[in-house]
Amino acid sequence: MKKSNQSLETGILQCATPRGPAVIAGLGVDVPELRQARALWQLGRFDEALNVFEAAVRKYPQNLVALVDASRAFGARFEIDRAEEMLDRLAKIGKNNAEVLHLAGQSYRMIFRPEKAMRCFERVLTVTRRNPDTFLELAVLYERRHRLPEALAMAEDCLRAEPGYEEAELFKGRLLRRLKEPAAAEELFRKLAANDRVHPLVRAQAWAEIAQKLDQEGDYDGAMQAMLRCKEFVKTDEKPVLEESERLQRVLHDLAHSLTPGILQRWATAPVSPPIRRQAVLTSFPRSGTTLLEQVLDSHPGLISSDEREVFGRDIFPAMWRSPTTPIPTAAALDAVPQERLKVQRERYFSYVAAALNQPLGDRVHLDKNPPMTLLIPGMLRLIPETRLLIALRDPRDVVVSCFMQYLPLNTNSVCYLSLERTAARYVHDMQIWLHLRGLLRTPWLEVHYEDCVRHLETEARRALEFLDLPWDPGVLNYRDRLKEKAVSSPTYEAVSKPLYTSSIARWKNYEKHLEPCFEVLRPCIEAFGYNH
């Protein structure tokens, strides 16, 4: 049975990002420069590694291994334009080579060039129809654009090319569910979930799909039991990830609590390297309604949004404060960042954003939507003090249930959602940091409640646009029209494409007996955000 590690770890290819340069056998000579670059990469000396990769590409411009490895390395460091240039050359050189085109397509997908990725994969199918991974890649890309019949055809072609491809069977089940064939979908999910020979992460996702169906049918006890089965498969690898998550939470908690009104005032009034940016952050906690609000605002011609990009937290923020004498971020470390370094990292941030979006920001408001960004608000305000903060709020009990009742690839955030109790504790940790910060901030902020958006979308859209100094545009209420062609990175991409529904409000009551042990922990946030009535 075929198992792609990348697919399994990231949820059927949907959220894949490169973990480092790829070693591609059989597509060129593995020259010494590439081995040196990979060694530097493994040591975390990324800038040096990129310089050596660049030199290898210049020295061996026709070497396919060099182009693939270098493009993925540059993409992993958010040097999107340089990576794209290399991939364009790779696709041209290998235009009749199915393996090269497939690798180019994967790499385009990783650097947020889905249209070029689809063209590469479609070109592969004109050369050969024997590569099942190509069919699955196309199925995922089509499904994200709601091209469901085409996606299903690709999934079925994948299974014809390789019967028993577990991930393709799982994905076919999701497509059948979306195409209103629930019985056929459930049959596939239950077959995968019950088979001990199926990869545990495929079984976990199958149980999550079964739980979703039981929830929709009103069998809430059955849905909870199915999700518990899902989480058991994921928990087997949780220990090192949970330890790292807890360490990060302590560090970022201490950072927030080391801030003072004076420091924040100094940052807010510090001179800014031109140009002054129209920047906003939309954050809070996962499953709090950030995707809905983002898609509404992104329909405004005066705004453009970045959807859950990792660049700030993974690259820009550490580059601001890290030095041999500052192993962790503190208020003092951020306060001491030299202006020249802030200028460089600020330019890197906006350069990356424009490259990932594949268009200039111009004078539009840039909205950086990222639910986990709450813990990094201090860093964002240090780098871009003109940032405005939009905070999406939802009944904490609904947030906890919603986070728990889904499968997510294991990382330092999702590892906290493997039990209801742990989910509640993480929610309180993050949102109490927000409650602490909002009492100190000298930066404009606005809280928007998910329930109000569902019931009174125009009113809440007007509030948010006014806060961002944007005029009212009735077109934002037709945001779903844009989603017919636009891919959304958030795990809630499917739900946000549907008409607004109120069944997600007070959903926690369906799971009240399971959630009850969490009530006391959640009570301060329930009261602080006005959900105790």
Side-chain angles (χ1 to χ4, degrees), residues 264-444:
L264 289 169
Q265 177 67 28
R266 185 158 61 248
W267 294 355
T269 57
V272 174
S273 300
I276 303 298
R277 298 287 187 170
R278 302 180 71 189
Q279 167 83 356
V281 166
L282 172 55
T283 188
S284 171
F285 198 83
R287 313 297 287 187
S288 293
T290 52
T291 302
L292 171 61
L293 184 57
E294 180 218 3
Q295 295 308 316
V296 171
L297 297 176
D298 193 45
S299 300
H300 194 287
L303 182 145
I304 187 166
S305 69
S306 295
D307 181 11
E308 304 197 16
R309 306 297 191 216
E310 296 181 306
V311 62
F312 183 77
R314 206 179 90 185
D315 192 59
I316 301 295
F317 180 59
M320 289 166 56
W321 54 264
R322 183 174 288 156
S323 74
T325 58
T326 54
I328 61 172
T330 63
L334 286 178
D335 202 36
V337 178
Q339 284 298 317
E340 185 58 33
R341 190 188 303 172
L342 287 175
K343 179 181 178 182
V344 169
Q345 296 307 320
R346 181 183 170 99
E347 290 174 353
R348 284 187 69 204
Y349 171 82
F350 284 109
S351 174
Y352 164 76
V353 164
L357 291 168
N358 206 18
Q359 56 180 296
L361 301 180
D363 61 355
R364 290 176 291 183
V365 173
H366 173 245
L367 181 69
D368 191 332
K369 175 257 186 176
N370 213 329
M373 183 77 82
T374 302
L375 303 184
L376 300 180
I377 285 174
M380 180 61 76
L381 296 182
R382 180 66 174 118
L383 184 69
I384 311 171
E386 62 267 43
T387 298
R388 299 188 178 202
L389 301 174
L390 274 169
I391 308 298
L393 297 179
R394 184 183 180 190
D395 188 318
R397 294 159 294 192
D398 280 333
V399 173
V400 169
V401 167
S402 188
C403 284
F404 178 76
M405 295 294 291
Q406 63 176 332
Y407 169 88
L408 288 171
L410 192 63
N411 57 41
T412 54
N413 291 315
S414 66
V415 73
C416 299
Y417 310 150
L418 298 183
S419 72
L420 285 167
E421 292 80 4
R422 196 189 293 174
T423 309
R426 177 61 190 267
Y427 177 86
V428 170
H429 171 272
D430 287 21
M431 297 313 290
Q432 283 191 332
I433 285 179
W434 164 243
L435 289 170
H436 174 74
L437 288 175
R438 79 177 187 181
L440 303 176
L441 290 177
R442 299 298 183 264
T443 298

Side-chain angles (χ1 to χ4, degrees), residues 183-214:
E186 183 177 16
E187 181 181 357
L188 269 175
F189 295 141
R190 289 197 175 274
K191 182 186 76 170
L192 292 168
N195 188 343
D196 291 340
R197 291 176 296 176
V198 168
H199 194 286
L201 294 185
V202 172
R203 297 181 73 187
Q205 293 175 76
W207 277 115
E209 293 284 352
I210 293 167
Q212 180 177 325
K213 183 174 187 294
L214 292 171

